[in-house]
Amino acid sequence: MPLPDAREAYAGGRLTPQRATVAAAVSALGGAFTVDDLASAVHAIDPGLGTATVYRAVGAMLASGWIERVGEREGSSLFAHCGQHAHEHHHHVVCDMCGRTDVTGCPVPESEQPSTPNGFLVTRHEVTFYGLCPTCAGRLEREGA
Amino acid sequence: MPLPDAREAYAGGRLTPQRATVAAAVSALGGAFTVDDLASAVHAIDPGLGTATVYRAVGAMLASGWIERVGEREGSSLFAHCGQHAHEHHHHVVCDMCGRTDVTGCPVPESEQPSTPNGFLVTRHEVTFYGLCPTCAGRLEREGA
DNA sequence: GTGTATGCAAACTGTTTGCATGGAC
DNA sequence: GTCCATGCAAACAGTTTGCATACAC
């Protein structure tokens, strides 16, 4: 059950059964999630796995770049698995209905990247798109919204 | 001392001395701030003003669109006064050193606005730029970094 | 006069930490 | 064998809420 991914999710750290479970839960969620969402998914597999461990695993996965903070929902951070885009410059699209995410390129024109709007020296930017995923958009249309 | 702004900061609500103080503190900060930053600025003027009141005032200012959530710093939300841009589509640039902010246009090409990256129906997006304001950039250069 | 805003303190939520034990490497 | 990761519970920070009082309208 140790997914091939699980190893790289904790690059540099140890791969314990608990960490493998957390990584599996992330894959199973397949979209943006809060730590709470993740903890629920994890507890469905292993009810004995502590919350602190989930937080520590999330910290480790962030450190390795396997997941990324993509925004926030209801006061908690939203995270998402970056897939094979982990080390490229990219952004995320989050479905407002089901939370599914996808990776998308950077919409900021190359020419503006390290630009100086109003005299500021811009070094980085955060972009997150929100909307509906194909499935939810389709369902909404079929139900005639 | 009731700034002309104070009235619109709480559009629809009541303008109390406390709320005026909070609005004045926002203007005085002149940049991105956390509720904690704001509370400190407010307490410098009126030490007796309660924290809950600051939070409620922030809620009211958000509701009126006079301030906006522009990102996050150390686990707290970052807010900024939108000035005369309150009702236009805009984004913010935040100085990593001093926290000063400015308003900037939307870098997302018009053609991509309600676009469909990967089949998603995008309805909105959040963009925040981070970098150095002219003052901090200048200081850094002068000190030879 | 009516109803909203305040102030205080208690309650809550999300997150982090200390410490002894267990297990990956 | 060494050191990292775990689990539990306690500690924490930021934020919200209940309630009686004060005041903007």
Side-chain angles (χ1 to χ4, degrees):
Chain A
M1 192 183 286
L3 313 174
D5 289 344
R7 191 95 239 160
E8 68 184 79
Y10 305 100
R14 292 180 183 175
L15 180 56
T16 63
Q18 291 89 338
R19 289 186 158 197
T21 299
V22 176
V26 168
S27 297
L29 284 171
F33 57 88
T34 60
V35 174
D36 199 57
D37 296 333
L38 181 57
S40 301
V42 163
H43 286 153
I45 309 176
D46 177 356
L49 210 158
T51 311
T53 301
V54 176
Y55 275 97
R56 287 190 269 232
V58 167
M61 292 186 292
L62 280 173
S64 76
W66 198 68
I67 63 172
E68 207 170 72
R69 186 179 184 285
V70 298
E72 101 160 43
R73 179 158 64 202
E74 297 154 24
S76 300
S77 287
L78 259 190
F79 301 97
H81 172 38
C82 303
Q84 56 289 96
H85 301 270
H87 301 295
E88 305 166 15
H89 179 62
H90 66 277
H91 299 293
H92 295 262
V93 212
V94 181
C95 176
D96 277 328
M97 286 190 72
C98 70
R100 179 138 53 115
T101 62
D102 203 344
V103 168
T104 186
C106 182
V108 179
E110 200 66 41
S111 60
E112 286 192 38
Q113 293 275 6
S115 81
T116 61
N118 312 309
F120 275 66
L121 183 66
V122 174
T123 53
R124 66 198 165 87
H125 60 255
E126 291 175 0
V127 179
T128 303
F129 293 96
Y130 295 88
L132 297 173
C133 69
T135 308
C136 291
R139 179 178 331 136
L140 218 54
E141 193 162 331
R142 231 171 302 116
E143 292 172 357
Chain B
M1 192 184 283
L3 313 173
D5 289 343
R7 192 96 238 161
E8 68 183 80
Y10 305 100
R14 292 182 181 174
L15 182 56
T16 63
Q18 292 88 337
R19 288 184 160 197
T21 299
V22 176
V26 168
S27 297
L29 284 171
F33 56 88
T34 60
V35 173
D36 199 58
D37 294 335
L38 181 56
S40 300
V42 163
H43 286 153
I45 308 176
D46 176 355
L49 209 158
T51 312
T53 300
V54 176
Y55 275 98
R56 286 191 269 233
V58 167
M61 293 186 293
L62 280 172
S64 76
W66 199 68
I67 63 172
E68 207 170 72
R69 185 178 184 288
V70 298
E72 99 160 44
R73 179 158 63 202
E74 296 154 23
S76 301
S77 287
L78 259 190
F79 301 97
H81 172 39
C82 303
Q84 56 289 95
H85 301 271
H87 302 295
E88 304 165 15
H89 179 64
H90 65 277
H91 300 292
H92 295 261
V93 211
V94 180
C95 176
D96 276 329
M97 286 190 72
C98 69
R100 177 136 57 115
T101 62
D102 203 344
V103 167
T104 184
C106 181
V108 179
E110 198 66 40
S111 59
E112 284 193 41
Q113 293 275 8
S115 82
T116 61
N118 312 309
F120 275 66
L121 183 66
V122 173
T123 53
R124 67 198 164 85
H125 59 256
E126 291 174 0
V127 179
T128 304
F129 294 96
Y130 295 89
L132 297 173
C133 70
T135 309
C136 291
R139 179 177 333 135
L140 218 55
E141 192 163 331
R142 231 170 303 114
E143 292 172 356

